[in-house]
């Protein structure tokens, strides 16, 4: 590959935010490394791009050389300090990485990236409570970050704090009420919490997820399981039981239709129908 073709390809990946770390490092080593002076000022963008890709592939020697050259040309740059923090993280020197990230946050409190890296480091080290604390502080400043709310919900689930995880999903639904996956996830959490009131809420959220996306199989199965549990509850009235039975019949019909319209052999469809017909849920007596 000619160096100009390699330059154009690397530039395209950078502009389109394409993640091809191994291919990028290979192109750098085989073609662009010895032609970097021909890139002009773009060489520094390429060096930054290669440094991140090398860390992604654990090519620490390549990343170190790129970082050394960037640090020489841009001493004190926050972007370079971010790369240095990534390098320390890659070689598992987490305390030094956290120090670099704290210094970046101190100089630029509006930068969300180093705060997210701190959460990632805490999570990687199994310090879930520290990750929750850091992410909670982050969300006080960046309240509209949907990915952060979703991550915080997952962290609370790891700690089995289901009510707090449900709150995070409720925030996500407020941000994006038309995302069926958010409704389905909140229904999953309410189903896991158990109890008649939570199951009734789970039923409503599963129904909303199916309304937003009728192809959501997980929501259909979740609706069936939730309704079986509701029927078995002593708190369930006769009207609610009738509604739950109707929902079970409807959901099972939709599930069977989906399997029949898919490229699945008849014997597999029959096996699924037999399993669904024999489905029984054992519920706790305190529902």
């Amino acid at each position: 590959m000619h160096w100009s073709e390699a330059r154009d390809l690397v530039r395209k990946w950078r502009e389109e935010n394409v993640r091809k770390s191994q291919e990028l490092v290979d192109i750098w080593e085989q073609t662009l490394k010895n032609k970097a002076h021909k890139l002009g000022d773009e060489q520094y963008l390429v060096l930054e791009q290669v440094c991140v890709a090398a860390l992604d592939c654990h090519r620490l020697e390549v990343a170190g050389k790129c970082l050394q050259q960037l640090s020489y040309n841009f001493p004190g740059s926050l972007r370079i300090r971010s790369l240095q923090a990534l390098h320390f993280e890659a070689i598992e020197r987490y305390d030094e990485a956290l120090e670099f990230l704290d210094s970046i946050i101190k100089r630029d409190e509006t930068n969300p990236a180093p705060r997210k890296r701190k959460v990632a480091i805490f999570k990687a080290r199994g310090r879930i409570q520290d990750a929750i604390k850091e992410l909670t502080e982050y969300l006080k400043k960046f309240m509209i970050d949907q990915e952060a709310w979703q991550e915080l919900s997952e962290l609370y689930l790891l700690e089995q704090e289901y009510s707090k995880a449900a709150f995070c999903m409720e925030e996500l639904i407020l941000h994006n009420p038309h995302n069926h996956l958010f409704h389905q996830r909140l229904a999953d959490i309410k189903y896991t919490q158990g109890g008649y009131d939570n199951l009734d809420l789970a039923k409503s959220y599963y129904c909303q997820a199916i309304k937003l996306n009728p192809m959501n199989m997980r929501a259909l199965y979740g609706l069936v399981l939730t309704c079986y549990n509701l029927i078995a509850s002593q708190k369930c009235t006769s009207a609610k039981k009738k509604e739950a039975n109707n929902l079970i019949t409807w959901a099972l019909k939709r599930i069977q239709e989906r399997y029949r319209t898919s490229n699945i052999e008849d014997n597999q469809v029959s096996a699924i129908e037999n399993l669904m017909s024999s489905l029984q849920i054992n519920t706790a007596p305190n529902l």
Side-chain angles (χ1 to χ4, degrees):
M1 181 185 294
H2 192 265
W3 75 268
S4 61
E5 295 177 344
R7 176 201 60 194
D8 293 341
L9 181 59
V10 170
R11 181 187 298 164
K12 180 181 178 183
W13 288 348
R14 183 173 64 251
E15 292 174 349
E16 296 180 358
N17 199 25
V18 176
R19 183 174 179 176
K20 293 189 176 182
S21 302
Q22 187 61 58
E23 294 90 334
L24 178 57
V25 174
D26 291 340
I27 289 174
W28 170 257
E29 288 284 280
Q30 298 170 11
T31 307
L32 290 178
K33 182 178 180 180
N34 297 324
K35 302 290 184 180
H37 61 283
K38 293 187 176 183
L39 298 174
D41 290 340
E42 190 179 358
Q43 66 176 304
Y44 303 115
L45 293 174
V46 174
L47 281 168
E48 182 182 21
Q49 189 179 359
V50 172
C51 181
V52 175
L55 291 173
D56 200 17
C57 300
H58 206 68
R59 299 281 296 276
L60 300 181
E61 183 180 353
V62 176
K65 290 180 179 179
C66 293
L67 192 55
Q68 184 178 5
Q69 190 171 345
L70 287 168
S71 300
Y72 176 79
N73 287 278
F74 303 98
S77 169
L78 289 181
R79 288 174 68 170
I80 305 307
R81 292 186 72 82
S82 296
L83 292 175
Q84 290 171 331
L86 286 175
H87 186 259
F88 281 127
E89 187 179 345
I91 59 178
E92 299 184 358
R93 291 166 62 178
Y94 296 117
D95 291 335
E96 293 175 70
L98 289 171
E99 289 178 6
F100 268 86
L101 293 171
D102 286 333
S103 68
I104 296 170
I105 294 170
K106 188 175 181 180
R107 288 178 57 183
D108 183 8
E109 294 185 357
T110 63
N111 188 351
R115 299 176 187 271
K116 288 186 174 183
R117 288 313 313 167
K118 287 185 68 176
V119 174
I121 290 174
F122 288 138
K123 186 177 179 181
R125 301 182 72 179
R127 294 165 58 181
I128 303 301
Q129 287 296 333
D130 289 333
I132 290 173
K133 182 179 178 181
E134 185 66 34
L135 195 50
T136 303
E137 291 298 318
Y138 169 84
L139 282 168
K140 290 179 181 178
K141 297 178 175 63
F142 304 93
M143 299 179 187
I144 61 172
D145 191 333
Q146 295 186 34
E147 291 182 352
W149 282 110
Q150 196 164 0
E151 179 64 24
L152 184 58
S153 177
E154 295 298 322
L155 291 174
Y156 278 132
L157 289 175
L158 290 176
E159 294 294 295
Q160 297 184 4
E161 297 187 53
Y162 298 114
S163 59
K164 293 180 180 179
F167 173 81
C168 295
M169 295 310 303
E170 289 168 354
E171 287 288 332
L172 283 168
I173 290 174
L174 287 175
H175 286 299
N176 190 354
H178 300 294
N179 189 325
H180 68 100
L181 295 176
F182 292 162
H183 291 273
Q184 173 209 298
R185 189 60 171 164
L186 180 54
D188 290 341
I189 294 171
K190 289 297 181 182
Y191 177 84
T192 304
Q193 283 183 275
Y196 179 80
D197 293 336
N198 286 322
L199 288 172
D200 197 40
L201 282 172
K203 180 195 70 176
S204 300
Y205 283 114
Y206 278 131
C207 288
Q208 182 64 19
I210 297 167
K211 181 180 178 181
L212 293 170
N213 180 16
M215 308 295 284
N216 190 330
M217 289 293 287
R218 185 183 179 94
L220 287 168
Y221 276 114
L223 181 59
V224 172
L225 296 175
T226 302
C227 289
Y228 272 123
N229 277 276
L230 282 172
I231 292 171
S233 173
Q234 296 177 355
K235 296 181 181 180
C236 190
T237 63
S238 57
K240 286 283 188 178
K241 287 183 179 180
K242 183 178 180 181
E243 179 188 358
N245 275 314
N246 290 335
L247 285 172
I248 290 172
T249 303
W250 176 82
L252 290 177
K253 184 178 179 181
R254 293 298 300 272
I255 292 170
Q256 290 169 356
E257 288 175 356
R258 285 292 311 282
Y259 280 113
R260 288 194 178 281
T261 55
S262 302
N263 295 325
I264 300 177
E265 297 178 1
D266 291 338
N267 60 339
Q268 292 178 316
V269 175
S270 299
I272 293 168
E273 290 177 348
N274 291 333
L275 287 172
M276 296 302 296
S277 62
S278 62
L279 181 63
Q280 294 182 355
I281 305 297
N282 294 323
T283 57
N286 60 350
L287 290 178

